[in-house]
Amino acid sequence: MAVPGNHTAISTRELLDSNTLARGLAILAVIGCHIPFAHPYWKPLWVFASAGKLAVAVFLFSSGLLLQVSLNRAGGRLQIGSWLKRRFWRIYPVYWLGLAFTLLCAWLWRGRTFDRVTILANATGIPMWLHQKVISCGYTAPFWFISLLLLCYGLFLLFHRVRRKGWLLAGSLALSFGALCTGGIMEAAVLAFPAFFAGVVMADRLQQRGAATSDARIQAAVFLPLLGFLIFVFKGRNFFHLRAGFSTGLDMAACAGFAVIPWSALHLVAYLQKRLAQVAPAVLRGLLWVSGLTFALFCIHEPLLVILDKASAAGHPWSGLLAYGAVTLLAGWALDALDRKIRGAE
């Protein structure tokens, strides 16, 4: 337990309040990890690409945490109809607008078209589970994450009455371990999946600890070795060959690591938010504003990589990066504003 008055002490309220910033930083990290797909000039950034896996795990962990906290505050009672309605309006309008924009840009700029079945499967949000191609402009395919997020939501709805949440985490780890052994499912989705249920478990732990605090220094001491291990798992193979069985075992260990590390990461983000509120409140307000746009940014950023692609090909990579960032931010703001208008009229 942290010493009273210690500036590294993180309360439960501070931890929960930091989720907006944590989710925003996570999605921004995913967007950043997609830059190497734009043009060969940016290929050296591949060294940081595995950070996207951690970012997805942090986002899923935060989602599970907040859903369970909300359920606990309601005394374990879930109004299924209103819950489904909120989830629908929070995800689908922005996703559908982003999907439509991606389809248009794929056709106009990349000459890519998709058949009706593929479009309908993507419109459901779960093309991965329908064994259909995920629509993209051809740089990368970020919408696979929507399939994973909706799966987690569906499982939460199905199992929210289970009292011992640890069983849900154990079951999700078992499923991921099995998928890693058999293959056939996207590795990034398999690795991040248990993090959602780790967040559910941690919500119950927060309820049990009450007003107790955590020390950010202890969490940093946990985070850094775990991060080092994950870097070893995903980057070490570039330097030495591993037997198949040993490699799969490391993947399983990494999967467990992705379920654990978001807890420490969230504490560090809470500490960052706490310090920024003290020394740079304007910077914090800006970060929180951008964090509020990040789902819209996520849904619209991939087609706009064409800006970076064309500028890099023309010999202006850094001005292209600035233009890409500015246009994506503006487009995300416009999409978010449209989404708020749509939800306001629901």
Side-chain angles (χ1 to χ4, degrees), residues 196-268:
F196 178 87
F197 295 98
V200 170
V201 170
M202 289 305 172
D204 278 0
R205 297 287 175 85
L206 285 178
Q207 185 180 45
Q208 292 166 10
R209 87 174 191 178
T213 59
S214 301
D215 196 318
R217 292 172 298 185
I218 296 175
Q219 297 301 329
V222 174
F223 177 82
L224 292 175
L226 277 173
L227 180 62
F229 169 72
L230 293 172
I231 291 172
F232 166 77
V233 170
F234 294 107
K235 299 304 179 185
R237 295 169 197 180
N238 296 329
F239 304 100
F240 51 84
H241 177 72
L242 297 175
R243 297 194 311 272
F246 187 64
S247 178
T248 301
L250 277 179
D251 286 338
M252 290 180 181
C255 184
F258 279 128
V260 174
I261 198 172
W263 178 243
S264 296
L266 189 58
H267 279 82
L268 298 182

Side-chain angles (χ1 to χ4, degrees), residues 60-110:
L60 287 177
F61 180 93
S62 175
S63 298
L65 175 71
L66 293 178
L67 286 177
Q68 188 61 41
V69 165
S70 178
L71 183 63
N72 289 343
R73 287 174 175 172
R77 294 183 297 274
L78 184 66
Q79 300 294 327
I80 295 177
S82 60
W83 187 89
L84 287 171
K85 184 179 179 182
R86 284 195 301 272
R87 301 280 78 73
F88 175 88
W89 286 103
R90 181 65 188 90
I91 293 175
Y92 276 103
V94 173
Y95 168 60
W96 282 338
L97 289 168
L99 182 64
F101 182 70
T102 300
L103 285 166
L104 177 63
C105 293
W107 173 60
L108 286 176
W109 297 335
R110 307 275 286 176

Side-chain angles (χ1 to χ4, degrees), residues 54-171:
L54 174 59
V56 171
V58 169
F59 189 94
L60 287 177
F61 180 93
S62 175
S63 298
L65 175 71
L66 293 178
L67 286 177
Q68 188 61 41
V69 165
S70 178
L71 183 63
N72 289 343
R73 287 174 175 172
R77 294 183 297 274
L78 184 66
Q79 300 294 327
I80 295 177
S82 60
W83 187 89
L84 287 171
K85 184 179 179 182
R86 284 195 301 272
R87 301 280 78 73
F88 175 88
W89 286 103
R90 181 65 188 90
I91 293 175
Y92 276 103
V94 173
Y95 168 60
W96 282 338
L97 289 168
L99 182 64
F101 182 70
T102 300
L103 285 166
L104 177 63
C105 293
W107 173 60
L108 286 176
W109 297 335
R110 307 275 286 176
R112 292 166 59 90
T113 58
F114 300 90
D115 61 75
R116 192 171 301 175
V117 172
T118 300
I119 294 173
L120 289 175
N122 278 262
T124 67
I126 53 171
M128 282 182 64
W129 315 127
L130 298 176
H131 303 289
Q132 295 295 321
K133 184 177 182 179
V134 176
I135 287 174
S136 76
C137 242
Y139 294 107
T140 182
F143 287 144
W144 68 263
F145 174 70
I146 303 296
S147 292
L148 178 58
L149 185 62
L150 291 175
L151 172 65
C152 291
Y153 283 170
L155 292 174
F156 179 82
L157 183 61
L158 187 62
F159 296 111
H160 73 277
R161 291 183 180 275
V162 174
R163 290 179 179 242
R164 296 181 180 274
K165 306 301 182 185
W167 288 109
L168 298 180
L169 177 57

